[in-house]
Amino acid sequence: MKAILASFGSRTHSAELETLQTKLSLRSPIETESVHLSHITGRTTLEAAITDDSIIMPLLIQKGYEYRRILSLGLPTGEPLLSSSDDIMRIAGILRKELERKAGRTYIFAAHGNKDERIAQYDELNETLPDDIRIITMQGPCRFPAENIMAADEIILMPFLLTIGHHALIDMQEKVLPKLRRLCKQVSYVNKSILSLSTGFYEIFEDHFCRLLEELNLLPSIGREEDMLLQIKDSQSSLS
């Protein structure tokens, strides 16, 4: 039996994603394997890694098309980052706390989205966030109030993504930035994964993974969990 940590890879090394995988592996009482998906061969790659007794922890942000593909495999599956109202409140709290907000500045986070499909969690997150922090999507419809953009003296664009791959390196700069620069003169792009903003994002994934393990009666005994928590602290110290 093993836990598959399924994520989208990128052309560049992602220390944050590796840290997340390490944290989840240390939480797991069973063997783990990290599988990097791609839009072309993602399901094939995942199918090659799984066995009948595998469980899957998707390191994804949204409950979109790729998550549904994983669910269709019929194996016990954890939840992505943005799955519940509690997740939304926690993420909104992280962004409020970590971003350097000031009058006249607006933060725009560009998420992946789904073509021809609205992701309800992004709408709910926008309703929870203050007006100077907005989530838009690179694919599919996701409204954001243009008047807030027009009123901003400065826009800071960031990817709402876990890795810095094609979307962050190409789509953001070729598609999203030009549109924003037509609305505001001062637009800057911070090319960082949301995992680099706060450990709070790691903690949400850890909670989702532990919930999956708990549902399957796979959580370790108290003594074993204490040992694992010490390992996690040691790992965090070595990574910092």
Side-chain angles (χ1 to χ4, degrees), residues 4 6 35 37 41-50 56 70 73:
I4 305 296
V35 174
L37 309 175
T41 62
R43 181 164 177 174
T44 303
T45 306
L46 187 56
E47 287 175 332
I50 62 174
I56 304 173
I70 293 173
L73 297 173

Side-chain angles (χ1 to χ4, degrees), residues 174-224:
E174 292 185 357
K175 298 177 182 179
V176 181
L177 268 175
K179 292 181 180 179
L180 291 179
R181 283 176 173 151
R182 288 196 291 268
L183 297 172
C184 179
K185 291 182 179 179
Q186 187 174 343
V187 180
S188 57
Y189 178 40
V190 178
N191 195 12
K192 292 183 178 180
S193 156
I194 59 169
L195 293 175
S196 68
L197 283 178
S198 169
T199 58
F201 291 109
Y202 295 99
E203 292 167 2
I204 295 173
F205 276 114
E206 289 181 86
D207 288 347
H208 288 185
F209 187 44
C210 287
R211 189 176 302 118
L212 174 63
L213 295 173
E214 186 177 45
E215 290 171 354
L216 297 170
N217 296 316
L218 291 173
L219 280 181
S221 65
I222 293 175
R224 168 65 175 150

Side-chain angles (χ1 to χ4, degrees), residues 5 16 26 118 201 223:
L5 310 179
E16 293 88 2
L26 290 171
R118 197 177 198 92
F201 291 109

